[in-house]
Structures are given as C-alpha cells and as structure tokens.
Amino acid sequence: MRVFVTGATGFIGSALVPELINARHKVLGLARSETGAKSLAATGAEVHRGSLEDLERLKSGAAKSEAVIHLAFNHDFSKFKENSENDRRAIEALGSALVGSDRLLIITSGTLLVAPGRLATEEDAPSATSDSIPRLATDEAAAAVTARGVRVSMVRLPQIHDQNKQGLITFLIDLAREKGVSAFVGDGENRWSAAHLSDTARLYRLALEKGSASRYHAVAEEGVPMRDIAEVIGRRLRLPVVAKSPVQAAEHFGWLGLFAGLDAPTSNALTRERLGWDPVGPGLIADLERAHNLEI
Ligand SMILES: NC(=O)c1ccc[n+]([C@@H]2O[C@H](COP(=O)([O-])OP(=O)(O)OC[C@H]3O[C@@H](n4cnc5c(N)ncnc54)[C@H](OP(=O)(O)O)[C@@H]3O)[C@@H](O)[C@H]2O)c1
C-alpha cells in the first residue's frame, strides 16, 4: 500500500516508516524542512514537502495515497490551544481528500484524558470537549470526518518510550533537573499507561493492514504508578524524591500540572483482540533505568 505519513520525521514516525517499508508498503512522508526531507529520503521513503498549516499540500499528499497515517503535531505546549486547533484543520483537510473513497485515515490521540479516574477502554469516547481540553479537537475532527463518510481509525497513545524519549516523562526529567527534585502528586499512586516505541510502530502497521475503522489503544502497561516513575528519575539523577500536594503541583509542574496528578489506567484488551497485537518491548521503568536522558 502507498501510505501518506504526516509526522514521518518525528519520534514515532521515525520508527513507523521503517516498519512500513520493511513490510513492503510504500511511504510518502510529510517533511516541512530540508533536514527532515533528507533524513526521510535516506530511509527509502518518498518525500512530500509541506506543513500542517498548508492544507492544500496535506490534501494532495492524501489524494496520492491509498491510506493516511496522521502523526504530526506541534508540541509547543505554550500554544496548546492553537496547535490543537491546527490539528483539527489538518485532520479535516486530510479527511476531505478521502471523502467518497474507502481509504483509511488513521488519526493519533492520547490515552491520558479519555476517562481519568477509572480504567479507560477503547469503547470510551471522551466525555469532555475541546472547550475544556484543547487536544480533544483531534477527537472532534475525527468524528466530523467520520460523519462525512470517511473510514477513520483512532490510535490512542500512552507514554511511548525507548532509551532516548519517554512521552511526557521526558519533560518530567527536564523539570527534575531544573528544580533539583523529582516530584509526584499526593501519594503518587496515580497511574500513567505506557508502551515501547517498537510495539507502537507495529500497532500502526497492523491497524493499517487490518483496514477496519476502529479505535485502538497502543498500551503495553495498563498503569505505572507516578511514584515509581519519580523514584527512578530521582535515583538516576541523584535528586531527592518529594510529594507535592495538588495545590503545590500547579506551581511546581507548570503546564505539566494538568497531567501530573491524573490517574489514567488504560486497557488494551480490545486492541489485542482486534489486531492480534502482542506488545513485547521493555517496560517503562526498565527503559528509564537505562535511559540516556537520565545520565548525569
Ligand atoms: N510520544 C508520545 O509518548 C505520545 C503520547 C501521546 C500522544 N502522542 C501523539 O503522537 C503523535 C506523534 O508524536 P511524536 O512523539 O512522534 O511527536 P514528535 O517527535 O514531536 O514529532 C512531531 C512530528 O510532527 C511534525 N510537525 C510538527 N509541527 C509540524 C508542522 N507545523 N507541520 C508539519 N509537521 C509538523 C514534526 O516535524 P519536524 O521533524 O519537522 O519537527 C515531527 O515529524 C502526536 O500527535 C503526539 O501528540 C505521542
């Protein structure tokens, strides 16, 4: 299959592109810079120059392909609302190029905000809207495009890790270095789910090959307590591990305060069943024990 991949130069895209090419798919990858275009071409992918803001280029990439995997997102969290609205427009543009066809559009979202406080399953639609949680613009755009008759799959990601990056935990590590302490909120029993990068790339490929419109959770570990995460960060950086009250958390964590205290365990049962996906990569704590970004 010829697949248009946005975010092909990013953390997950850089693992997904070889996964697809090794399985004999053809990749048309979006690149917004010369550097990105060069590194993408070196993997054997075809390069499609453009950006998330250039909706015509997104449409032309989608129009040339038999399926689309959308991974690009601008992670400047100081402009979270604006970037989430850009994602909405990008998804609507990609979708508009697929209306009237049976070509699959695979969209990426997160697990953290699906159903905080209880186990989230693939059947759960987010209960909030983008008015209160900006990133839900992604889910709303997916619903809008589905309503236009496009076949849409949603892959929800937890903290995706290898030894170089670990989702939002990468930012917790930077914060611990900056503040001189590794912190968790309350008793630290709140959980974040996680998956290894290689398992995540394989899940996207399986979702593409399966071809049905569905919701998937790329979750290998249902919930890792934040206290365990803070402890390995503290141990590796030789920093004290401290508890913050919910009130102190807003000040300590800054923009990460929205997420740090969330209990967001997430099930993968339906995903395993629907895709025959079996995650085998190292766990989050094992990767943090060896992470290069925790070296001092
Ligand atoms: N990693 C995780 O743990 C995690 C967890 C939950 C959800 N997600 C979601 O998964 C998706 C992929 O994440 P990631 O970790 O691979 O992100 P990443 O490493 O930050 O990569 C982002 C990708 O988007 C591209 N991009 C950003 N702004 C763009 C723009 N204006 N125009 C065109 N391309 C643009 C980047 O291109 P450049 O290479 O040119 O910068 C890069 O290819 C995102 O939607 C993210 O929110 C990730």
Side-chain angles (χ1 to χ4, degrees):
M1 232 186 283
R2 189 185 204 208
V3 194
F4 181 42
V5 180
T6 74
T9 55
F11 177 58
I12 295 165
S14 299
L16 176 60
V17 170
E19 172 79 27
L20 294 174
I21 290 175
N22 289 340
R24 299 179 180 277
H25 298 292
K26 290 200 170 83
V27 172
L28 178 65
L30 182 71
R32 59 174 168 168
S33 69
E34 194 53 41
T35 317
K38 274 193 186 137
S39 67
L40 198 51
T43 66
E46 207 184 322
V47 176
H48 187 78
R49 292 301 299 267
S51 74
L52 283 177
E53 293 74 19
D54 188 343
L55 302 182
E56 291 309 314
R57 291 296 293 163
L58 292 181
K59 286 183 202 168
S60 63
K64 281 189 207 166
S65 309
E66 288 153 275
V68 177
I69 300 180
H70 176 51
L71 283 168
F73 190 84
N74 181 340
H75 289 115
D76 175 355
F77 287 97
S78 68
K79 295 182 188 157
F80 196 36
K81 176 87 186 159
E82 187 182 323
N83 296 337
S84 299
E85 287 305 316
N86 274 348
D87 199 45
R88 183 198 300 278
R89 284 189 286 275
I91 291 166
E92 287 174 354
L94 292 166
S96 70
L98 305 178
V99 171
S101 77
D102 65 353
R103 289 175 289 157
L104 188 65
L105 170 60
I106 301 180
I107 287 174
T108 306
S109 179
T111 57
L112 264 182
L113 298 165
V114 175
R118 65 169 173 84
L119 185 71
T121 78
E122 292 85 341
E123 303 286 87
D124 285 311
S127 52
T129 69
S130 58
D131 292 335
S132 54
I133 300 174
R135 183 66 204 256
L136 292 178
T138 300
D139 299 67
E140 290 167 2
V145 169
T146 302
R148 295 182 68 193
V150 177
R151 293 192 328 113
V152 176
S153 279
M154 171 71 80
V155 177
R156 287 182 182 147
L157 299 180
Q159 307 311 303
I160 307 303
H161 54 88
D162 68 1
Q163 288 181 42
N164 298 310
K165 276 179 97 175
Q166 306 83 20
L168 292 179
I169 297 157
T170 312
F171 298 98
L172 286 179
I173 293 169
D174 294 344
L175 190 74
R177 285 186 196 276
E178 181 194 323
K179 301 254 175 175
V181 294
S182 175
F184 57 84
V185 182
D187 61 8
E189 289 298 315
N190 64 303
R191 295 152 294 172
W192 284 5
S193 53
H196 191 265
L197 179 62
S198 56
D199 289 321
T200 307
R202 196 168 69 261
L203 183 145
Y204 276 95
R205 177 175 63 75
L206 292 172
L208 173 81
E209 292 170 350
K210 181 83 177 174
S212 27
S214 191
R215 223 186 252 136
Y216 304 109
H217 285 175
V219 167
E221 292 178 280
E222 196 170 274
V224 182
M226 289 303 283
R227 187 184 188 120
D228 295 358
I229 295 170
E231 277 173 356
V232 67
I233 294 173
R235 192 166 62 251
R236 294 273 331 262
L237 295 180
R238 298 193 198 133
L239 294 174
V241 179
V242 299
K244 296 282 175 186
S245 70
V247 174
Q248 291 169 323
E251 195 269 320
H252 178 85
F253 289 102
W255 63 265
L256 270 169
L258 179 65
F259 309 106
L262 286 180
D263 185 36
T266 309
S267 170
N268 66 10
L270 290 172
T271 302
R272 295 175 83 116
E273 190 185 307
R274 288 171 183 164
L275 293 179
W277 177 69
D278 198 13
V280 293
L284 173 63
I285 299 295
D287 259 351
L288 287 172
E289 294 284 6
R290 300 169 302 178
H292 303 304
N293 53 333
L294 276 167
E295 281 161 11
I296 48 177

